[in-house]
Amino acid sequence: MVLEDLLRRPCVLTRYRLPPLGPELDGFCNWLGKQGYSYSYLRLCASRGSQFNLFLRRRGITTASEIEEEHADQFLARRRRTEHASWLVATRRALRLLSHFLAERGVLNPRPEIPSAYEVLLNRYAHYLENDRALATSTVRCYRFYLTSFVEALDLRDVRGAIAELTPQDVQDFFCKCAQGKATTTRGHIRLGLRHFFAFCVREGYGGGHLADAVPHVYSYRLADVPRQIAEPDARMLLDGIDRHTSVGRRDYAIVLLLYTYGVRGGQVRALRLGDIQWRQSTIRFPACKGGRQVIEPLTDEVGEALLDYLRNGRPRATCPEVFLTERAPIHPMQADHLYTRICSRLRSLGLGDGPRGPHGFRHAFATRLLDNGHSIKTIADMLGHRDINSTFIYTKVDFRTLEQVPLDWPGGAP
């Protein structure tokens, strides 16, 4: 996509090509087009880029290497007096994209971001978790997220003094406030994040090792919960209720059908790549997730048709190897929160929001179906990708056929 594809009038095209930004606008439009932005948005970005270019020319800037990020702030401040707020928002976003493009090209030196004091401390804490504790990146991100508000409240001008002034009651108050209403697993993450933080403080010479014992315990018992599954009629209602005449509907239908048919995790669906679908062998391979095993299953006709419909008629054109992509630019693979939100919104639209939420309910439903059909725990563990069969034993709680044989006769009852 170049300027000739967006502009018809030669005089306008000549004005757009004036230096310092004119020679860069062709590449900028092409860069936006590859990320999936619409034709109309490309015209908008080119127009705002041209207006910014005229502002730069009035300032005496003749080459793109002279542009600094402060110039964009000055341009917006000048137009704030005359333009509507919506114009300013759209222009700010267009100029931000232009800055990213110029930075990737090496034309613009981005403004150095000076991290705050608490960000510096959290970065060092994350480095400690990854290197000394060998924790997974997702776990480190989780611990850091819940610890941010705790670190922000400290006086980081004197970290040693701030840690010394903390009392066990302060730690307990923060934990109770942060963990209120959270699930048991989340409360466990908050607890471990705090304990690791105080161990990090001791390692850095800030003290506070005694505060780790002040973090309340989170008691949980293995196999204590009952899997919350999506009922079979609800799952079929959800599949039937998705409008497959839109690209988003085709994508969501294929995702829900994969979750329902194979019982895989949401992360495995998001990580599914085009090469994992073996069309000639009629198999589909889901990558390993959460320390489990990869899952290779036959590609059913229904799943194959849904995937083909999405790939041919719904998937945006992109170089990403992942199968499922976002519907709006910039096009990229779906993230965990995006997938979770899509499943929840689909369930709520059918009045099913009171039951299990998110993609994991389909995994529990899949395992329950296998139990009802008489499959062994070992078989279910293999199909779910569990490396340890103990992880599958929780589904014995919903094996009502076997549980009926367990109760003993009540003493004194009728024979």
Side-chain angles (χ1 to χ4, degrees):
M1 183 72 66
V2 292
L3 291 179
E4 283 82 0
D5 299 321
L6 304 175
L7 305 172
R8 301 289 184 183
R9 299 170 61 183
C11 60
V12 176
L13 183 62
T14 301
R15 175 166 53 84
Y16 273 50
R17 291 202 182 279
L18 293 174
L21 276 179
E24 302 290 342
L25 287 182
D26 279 325
F28 177 52
C29 294
N30 189 43
W31 181 74
L32 291 174
K34 289 181 178 179
Q35 296 185 68
Y37 287 96
S38 65
Y39 177 86
S40 60
Y41 193 74
L42 263 64
R43 286 180 58 90
L44 183 145
C45 288
S47 173
R48 304 298 159 83
S50 176
Q51 294 175 29
F52 181 50
N53 189 40
L54 294 178
F55 170 81
L56 294 173
R57 290 176 60 83
R58 296 191 190 102
R59 291 298 178 98
I61 297 175
T62 58
T63 60
S65 59
E66 301 177 51
I67 302 174
E68 298 179 357
E69 291 195 1
E70 288 76 8
H71 291 138
D73 298 335
Q74 297 168 6
F75 172 69
L76 291 171
R78 185 180 183 87
R79 301 297 290 267
R80 188 175 291 115
R81 308 168 189 171
T82 57
E83 299 293 348
H84 194 268
S86 59
W87 187 95
L88 293 171
V89 171
T91 304
R92 184 178 293 108
R93 186 185 180 197
L95 295 184
R96 190 180 300 118
L97 290 171
L98 180 60
S99 297
H100 290 331
F101 167 73
L102 294 177
E104 286 187 8
R105 287 254 300 144
V107 176
L108 176 67
N109 294 323
R111 180 188 306 166
E113 295 184 2
I114 302 176
S116 61
Y118 82 88
E119 288 178 334
V120 172
L121 184 62
L122 285 175
N123 289 337
R124 289 161 53 196
Y125 170 63
H127 185 268
Y128 161 78
L129 294 178
E130 291 181 349
N131 292 273
D132 290 34
R133 295 285 181 174
L135 298 183
T137 303
S138 58
T139 304
V140 173
R141 189 185 306 114
C142 179
Y143 289 175
R144 174 173 176 156
F145 173 78
Y146 288 112
L147 201 64
T148 298
S149 58
F150 182 77
V151 175
E152 285 180 340
L154 298 176
D155 182 8
L156 298 182
R157 291 172 297 181
D158 181 15
V159 180
R160 187 189 304 274
I163 297 296
E165 292 177 359
L166 283 175
T167 65
Q169 188 61 46
D170 294 332
V171 176
Q172 293 177 9
D173 290 344
F174 169 78
F175 178 83
C176 293
K177 180 180 179 181
C178 188
Q180 184 177 9
K182 301 292 195 303
T184 303
T185 302
T186 303
R187 294 199 300 269
H189 287 162
I190 300 171
R191 175 180 181 271
L192 288 175
L194 278 170
R195 290 181 62 87
H196 286 319
F197 177 73
F198 292 126
F200 160 76
C201 290
V202 172
R203 180 179 179 275
E204 295 293 312
Y206 301 140
H210 64 286
L211 295 173
D213 297 328
V215 183
H217 288 276
V218 178
Y219 293 99
S220 61
Y221 301 94
R222 186 173 180 83
L223 306 180
D225 298 327
V226 176
R228 299 183 63 198
Q229 59 175 319
I230 295 178
E232 182 74 15
D234 294 344
R236 296 308 312 183
M237 184 188 304
L238 176 60
L239 286 168
D240 295 338
I242 298 177
D243 182 10
R244 299 170 61 185
H245 294 91
T246 65
S247 57
V248 176
R250 295 185 182 98
R251 184 199 62 189
D252 290 355
Y253 179 81
I255 289 175
V256 174
L257 190 60
L258 285 173
L259 295 170
Y260 172 80
T261 305
Y262 299 110
V264 291
R265 301 180 186 273
Q268 291 175 291
V269 172
R270 291 186 293 104
L272 184 69
R273 298 190 167 205
L274 297 172
D276 293 328
I277 307 173
Q278 305 293 328
W279 299 102
R280 294 184 181 276
Q281 291 78 17
S282 295
T283 60
I284 185 170
R285 179 179 64 247
F286 297 98
C289 184
K290 294 189 67 174
R293 300 173 179 172
Q294 71 171 1
V295 177
I296 301 177
E297 294 289 345
L299 184 65
T300 66
D301 293 340
E302 187 178 12
V303 171
E305 291 175 1
L307 287 173
L308 277 177
D309 187 24
Y310 168 65
L311 293 175
R312 290 174 174 173
N313 306 314
R315 186 177 185 268
R317 294 182 179 180
T319 58
C320 303
E322 287 79 10
V323 174
F324 298 107
L325 307 177
T326 56
E327 67 273 15
R328 293 182 180 178
I331 303 300
H332 57 78
M334 295 185 70
Q335 302 297 319
D337 55 345
H338 190 190
L339 176 60
Y340 182 86
T341 302
R342 293 302 306 170
I343 299 297
C344 289
S345 63
R346 291 287 184 184
L347 290 171
R348 283 196 300 268
S349 65
L350 297 176
L352 306 175
D354 295 334
R357 297 175 297 173
H360 214 70
F362 292 95
R363 185 172 176 85
H364 293 326
F366 175 77
T368 303
R369 286 202 311 272
L370 294 180
L371 273 175
D372 293 340
N373 292 331
H375 292 278
S376 66
I377 292 295
K378 177 64 171 65
T379 302
I380 297 174
D382 293 338
M383 299 185 73
L384 292 177
H386 287 165
R387 192 175 295 274
D388 184 1
I389 196 173
N390 291 323
S391 302
T392 320
F393 280 141
I394 192 171
Y395 295 109
T396 58
K397 291 191 172 187
V398 293
D399 186 6
F400 301 112
R401 185 179 307 171
T402 303
L403 289 175
E404 288 176 352
Q405 306 173 15
V406 175
L408 302 176
D409 293 334
W410 187 260

